[in-house]
Amino acid sequence: MKKQNWFLTLMGDSKRQKFTIPILAILLSLLAGAVVYLVLGKNPITAYLSYLQGSGLIPKANYAAKKSMLTDLMSLLNAWTPMLFASLSVAVAMRSGLFNIGVSGQMMAAGLIATVTVGYSSFPAGVAKPLVVLISALVGALVASLIGFLKYKWNINEVVSAIMINYIVRYSVSFCIKKFMADPVSRQSRAINASARLSLMDTEIGGLKMDIPLGIILAIIAVFLVRFLFNKMKLGFEFRTIGANPRAAKYAGINVGRNLIITMALSGALAGLAGATYFLGYYGSIQPDTLISTGFDAIAVSILGNSSPIGILLSSFLITVIDKGSTYMSSTVGVRQEIGSLITGLILLFAACGAFFSYLIDRGRQKAADAQTKADGKEERV
């Protein structure tokens, strides 16, 4: 009699595992986080609900003046926008088998150039905001294209060159800020003009003051454009072929070098948009000497989403919810805010183990098949 392993059945075949393994990773991380809260003597259910309350997904018990669940949700969308762009940037590079670890540097370079050229200008909003988007995408594409060119021309590993460029960008931007752009109080770059900012800050609507992210619309459009590129365009097919086997792609007549540069240019353009929506949107200035973690977190977020645009849409939203809700969780539950970062780290750690989970599932399925074969053989002998 054939026995079914409910877990293996639930996880499904390799195609279904693209969805079930990330869900498994999230559940395991939430369970591990629950253990942490229990050890601290806190109720994990209350803690997880407070993440949703702090991010504006469910209502809080009370709100300050001119604040509501809607204002919290807008703040969440504002923070989500650069993470979504950065994660798409990583996914585009991975499509061709490249690892763009330089997203944070590309974000910072794009943020600086857009700030200097447009952020302090007297351009009206109708001119300044589109210029910020275009300049940031162009700068990000140029920086990342250099990485692709070095890979193509001299086979320099893209991870090494990206790390080196990160350092160059970090210290160059820091020098410019400290020398020419520093705010004497905050020691960061001076705040940009409201006309160039990609978030409408403290906008009063219906008696509420909220931050309205303009870039989120562009980010959602980018998700579907990248999905169309991956699934419907010849260029996307060439990217996937190169990522699977560069030698076979070259033998098939695909210009591998050209496509590597194009891949990194597209990845860099998305990273530049992440920089625009972070430094000239969500944050409003640039902190010297610091590469923000968004570009590095985006690598794990992309892995959690299986480098699929729709998967990234969901995984980046989840990580942003935890990040934004951690402040309210800290005040409600009475634990340090860093626990939120721990939960995020656990999710990303389990997500990185996706290949190992797939191996265990396949191994379990093979053992079950072998056991069933032996059982069937005994029944036949009887």
Side-chain angles (χ1 to χ4, degrees):
M1 185 175 178
K2 188 175 181 179
K3 295 180 180 179
Q4 293 287 339
N5 185 309
W6 65 269
F7 178 73
L8 297 177
T9 302
L10 185 64
M11 296 306 294
D13 56 17
S14 58
K15 187 175 181 180
R16 189 176 175 185
Q17 286 171 23
K18 292 180 180 179
F19 305 98
T20 56
I21 287 180
I23 293 172
L24 175 64
I26 293 169
L27 292 176
L28 289 175
S29 61
L30 293 179
L31 285 173
V35 172
V36 173
Y37 282 114
L38 289 172
V39 170
L40 295 173
K42 306 298 180 181
N43 187 333
I45 296 177
T46 302
Y48 288 137
L49 286 176
S50 67
Y51 283 109
L52 300 179
Q53 290 174 316
S55 56
L57 297 180
I58 60 175
K60 298 176 183 175
N62 51 68
Y63 291 91
K66 297 189 176 182
K67 297 295 180 182
S68 74
M69 179 177 158
L70 180 60
T71 62
D72 289 341
L73 180 60
M74 285 296 174
S75 181
L76 171 70
L77 296 179
N78 204 11
W80 179 35
T81 305
M83 177 60 79
L84 183 51
F85 273 126
S87 302
L88 288 173
S89 171
V90 173
V92 169
M94 283 185 173
R95 193 70 168 183
S96 290
L98 299 174
F99 196 62
N100 188 3
I101 202 173
V103 171
S104 287
Q106 292 149 31
M107 289 175 65
M108 198 172 195
L112 176 73
I113 301 301
T115 296
V116 171
T117 55
V118 183
Y120 299 141
S121 71
S122 57
F123 295 140
V127 175
K129 295 183 192 303
L131 275 178
V132 165
V133 171
L134 291 173
I135 290 173
S136 299
L138 179 60
V139 171
L142 288 174
V143 174
S145 293
L146 176 59
I147 298 171
F149 178 76
L150 293 174
K151 174 76 173 181
Y152 158 63
K153 192 68 175 177
W154 294 290
N155 198 29
I156 298 175
N157 187 282
E158 72 275 8
V159 174
V160 175
S161 57
I163 291 174
M164 295 301 102
I165 290 175
N166 274 349
Y167 276 110
I168 294 170
V169 169
R170 173 186 172 183
Y171 291 117
S172 299
V173 171
S174 297
F175 171 79
C176 292
I177 291 174
K178 292 177 180 178
K179 187 72 174 177
F180 307 108
M181 304 163 56
D183 184 287
V185 177
S186 67
R187 304 308 301 168
Q188 300 178 10
S189 66
R190 298 191 308 275
I192 64 171
N193 297 332
S195 60
R197 193 158 182 177
L198 298 181
S199 296
L200 304 179
M201 307 300 292
D202 292 328
T203 304
E204 192 160 344
I205 300 176
L208 299 174
K209 271 192 174 181
M210 63 183 74
D211 303 335
I212 302 176
L214 302 178
I216 187 62
I217 300 172
L218 186 59
I220 299 297
I221 292 173
V223 169
F224 290 97
L225 287 178
V226 172
R227 186 171 185 268
F228 182 78
L229 168 68
F230 284 177
N231 298 335
K232 302 295 183 181
M233 293 184 66
K234 177 186 175 183
L235 189 63
F237 171 76
E238 291 180 350
F239 288 173
R240 183 171 57 189
T241 305
I242 293 170
N245 193 325
R247 290 186 178 179
K250 187 175 181 180
Y251 181 77
I254 296 174
N255 190 328
V256 175
R258 178 182 66 88
N259 276 277
L260 289 178
I261 296 174
I262 292 175
T263 299
M264 289 305 298
L266 291 174
S267 176
L270 290 165
L273 293 174
T277 52
Y278 185 88
F279 295 115
L280 291 93
Y282 175 64
Y283 201 70
S285 63
I286 306 174
Q287 183 178 358
D289 300 322
T290 303
L291 283 175
I292 60 169
S293 63
T294 302
F296 302 107
D297 293 342
I299 297 171
V301 171
S302 181
I303 294 172
L304 178 62
N306 274 315
S307 295
S308 160
I310 302 300
I312 287 170
L313 186 74
L314 301 175
S315 62
S316 61
F317 186 77
L318 171 65
I319 298 303
T320 308
V321 165
I322 295 173
D323 181 55
K324 287 297 292 182
S326 60
T327 302
Y328 184 75
M329 180 279 301
S330 178
S331 62
T332 302
V333 181
V335 298
R336 293 187 63 85
Q337 185 176 344
E338 285 76 10
I339 295 296
S341 299
L342 173 62
I343 301 298
T344 300
L346 287 170
I347 292 175
L348 301 181
L349 175 64
F350 281 114
C353 296
F356 178 64
F357 290 150
S358 182
Y359 164 75
L360 291 180
I361 292 167
D362 291 341
R363 185 179 178 186
R365 187 172 283 113
Q366 184 61 47
K367 284 185 176 181
D370 292 343
Q372 187 61 43
T373 301
K374 289 182 180 179
D376 292 343
K378 287 182 180 180
E379 289 181 3
E380 288 178 3
R381 285 195 296 271
V382 172

